C-alpha cells in the first residue's frame, strides 16, 4: 500500500497516540495533532517509524484553528487521505455536571465546552478534510463512546456530544460516498488512558473492570487497531458503521 497522509487529532497521548503509532507502523505519514502538549507530541513524532511525520497544534474548539490545522496538514503531507477525529473531553468532576449538583451556569458551561470540542470540533474538521478529499477519496474515522448508547447520567453533555458524532458520521457516510470518502466510527467502553486513569485506580476501578465479562478495560492499542482497519482501502463497505469496542460490557440492539 502506498503511504497515506493521515491527520490524527489529540494524538499526543492515550488512544490518539496508539492510533498514530498504528498508521505510522503501516507506512503512513502522520500529523500528530495536540493542543497544549508540544513536548509529548514531539517525542511521539520522533519515535514513530517511517518518515514525513509532522506535529501541529490547534484548539479544536476554535473553528478558525481547525481550518488552519487541516489545511496545514494537507499542505505539509501533500494532501489528506485520512482524518481521525479522536480528540475529546470528558470534563473534570469540578464544577459538577449532574443535573441536581450543577448550577444553571455550570450546566450551560459544560454543555458548551463539551459540544464545542467533541461535536463541533469534529464536524468542522470533517468539513475541512472533505474539501481535500473531494477529488481523491479518503477516510474519516471518529472516536465516539459507549456512553452515546448507554447514557452518561453524570455527564449528559458527553453522552449527547458522542451521540451527535455518531449521527453526523452516518449522515456524512451517505453524503460523501459518491466522492469515494468512507466515514466510520468506533464506540469504545472504558479504555486505560489519562482520561480514565484516576477513576480506574480509585476504589471504583474494580467495578469498572467488572462491567465487562472479560474483567478488564481496553488497551488503547485495541481501539487503534479497529480505527486503522476502518481507514483501510478494504473497509470502504464498512462506511456508516459504528463499531462497539466495549468487551461485551454493553450490548445494544
Ligand atoms: P485523553 O484525555 O488521553 O486524550 C484526549 C486528547 O484530546 C488529549 O490529547 C487532549 O489534549 C485532546 N483534546 C481535548 N480537547 C481538545 C481541544 N479542544 N483541542 C485539541 N485537542 C483537544 O483521552 P483518551 O481516552 O485517549 O480519549 C480519546 C478519545 O476517545 C476521546 O474522544 C474520548 O472521548 C474517547 N473515549 C475514551 C474512552 C476512555 O475510556 N478513555 C472511552 C470512550 C471514548
Amino acid at each position: 500500500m502506498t503511504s497515506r497522509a493521515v491527520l490524527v487529532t489529540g494524538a499526543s497521548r492515550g488512544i490518539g497516540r496508539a492510533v498514530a503509532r498504528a498508521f505510522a507502523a503501516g507506512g503512513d505519514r502522520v500529523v500528530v495533532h495536540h493542543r497544549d502538549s508540544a513536548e509529548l507530541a514531539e517525542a511521539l513524532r520522533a519515535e514513530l517509524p517511517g518518515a514525513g511525520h509532522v506535529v501541529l497544534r490547534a484548539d479544536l474548539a476554535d473553528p478558525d484553528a481547525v481550518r488552519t490545522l487541516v489545511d496545514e496538514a494537507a499542505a505539509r503531507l501533500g494532501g489528506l487521505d485520512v482524518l481521525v477525529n479522536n480528540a475529546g473531553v470528558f470534563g473534570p468532576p469540578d464544577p459538577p455536571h449532574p443535573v441536581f449538583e450543577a448550577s444553571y451556569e455550570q450546566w450551560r458551561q459544560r454543555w458548551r465546552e463539551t459540544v464545542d470540542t467533541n461535536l463541533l470540533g469534529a464536524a468542522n474538521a470533517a468539513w475541512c478534510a472533505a474539501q481535500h478529499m473531494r477529488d481523491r477519496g479518503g477516510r474519516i474515522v471518529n472516536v465516539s463512546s459507549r456512553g452515546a448508547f448507554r447514557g452518561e447520567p453524570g455527564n449528559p453533555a458527553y453522552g449527547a456530544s458522542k451521540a451527535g458524532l455518531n449521527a453526523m458520521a452516518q449522515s456524512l457516510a451517505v453524503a460523501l460516498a459518491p466522492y469515494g470518502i468512507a466515514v466510520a466510527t468506533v464506540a469504545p467502553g472504558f479504555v486505560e488512558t489519562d482520561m480514565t486513569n484516576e477513576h480506574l485506580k480509585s476504589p471504583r476501578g474494580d467495578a469498572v473492570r467488572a462491567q465487562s465479562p472479560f474483567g478488564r478495560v481496553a488497551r488503547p492499542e485495541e481501539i487503534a487497531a479497529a480505527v486503522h482497519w476502518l481507514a483501510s482501502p478494504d473497509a470502504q463497505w464498512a462506511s456508516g458503521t459504528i463499531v462497539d469496542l466495549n468487551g461485551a460490557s454493553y450490548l445494544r440492539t
Side-chain angles (χ1 to χ4, degrees), residues 18 27 35 37 89 108 131 140 142 146 166 176 185 197 222:
R35 178 184 46 186
S37 312
V89 282
R108 283 160 36 222
Q131 313 309 310
I140 298 174
N142 303 292
R146 175 184 66 176
N166 293 348
L176 298 179
T185 305
N197 253 347
E222 293 175 291

Side-chain angles (χ1 to χ4, degrees), residues 23-230:
F23 280 101
D28 295 322
R29 295 161 350 265
V30 179
V31 168
V32 177
H33 158 262
H34 72 98
R35 178 184 46 186
D36 42 26
S37 312
E39 268 181 40
L40 278 179
E42 185 49 44
L44 175 64
R45 191 200 61 75
E47 70 152 57
L48 288 178
H53 312 301
V54 175
V55 170
L56 291 178
R57 183 198 174 275
D59 179 355
L60 297 177
D62 173 350
D64 292 333
V66 172
R67 192 167 201 174
T68 304
L69 166 70
V70 176
D71 289 350
E72 177 140 16
R76 299 279 293 272
L77 296 185
L80 192 62
D81 299 301
V82 179
L83 165 68
V84 181
N85 272 324
N86 165 75
V89 282
F90 189 80
D94 198 34
H97 187 48
V99 62
F100 290 129
E101 291 173 36
S103 70
Y104 188 40
E105 264 187 5
Q106 289 168 333
W107 173 258
R108 283 160 36 222
Q109 183 190 338
R110 179 63 71 87
W111 273 89
R112 205 170 37 242
E113 286 171 1
T114 306
V115 170
D116 271 355
T117 294
N118 293 7
L119 181 54
L120 298 182
N124 293 340
W127 186 93
C128 296
Q131 313 309 310
H132 293 281
M133 296 173 179
R134 184 177 182 148
D135 297 326
R136 60 195 269 160
R139 296 281 184 272
I140 298 174
V141 183
N142 303 292
V143 180
S144 178
S145 172
R146 175 184 66 176
F149 302 106
R150 195 188 59 155
E152 291 284 354
N155 197 343
Y158 181 80
S161 70
K162 295 299 191 179
L165 189 61
N166 293 348
M168 177 193 84
Q170 290 176 320
S171 299
L172 289 184
V174 178
L176 298 179
Y179 301 90
I181 303 169
V183 185
T185 305
V186 294
F190 262 97
V191 187
E192 211 175 304
T193 69
D194 290 323
M195 190 182 263
T196 55
N197 253 347
E198 260 182 48
H199 200 68
L200 291 169
K201 280 187 199 145
S202 79
R204 290 165 297 168
D206 283 343
V208 171
R209 283 178 280 277
Q211 289 175 2
S212 163
F214 290 105
R216 66 175 180 88
V217 300
R219 291 176 290 106
E221 291 74 21
E222 293 175 291
I223 313 306
V227 171
H228 188 250
W229 180 76
L230 286 169

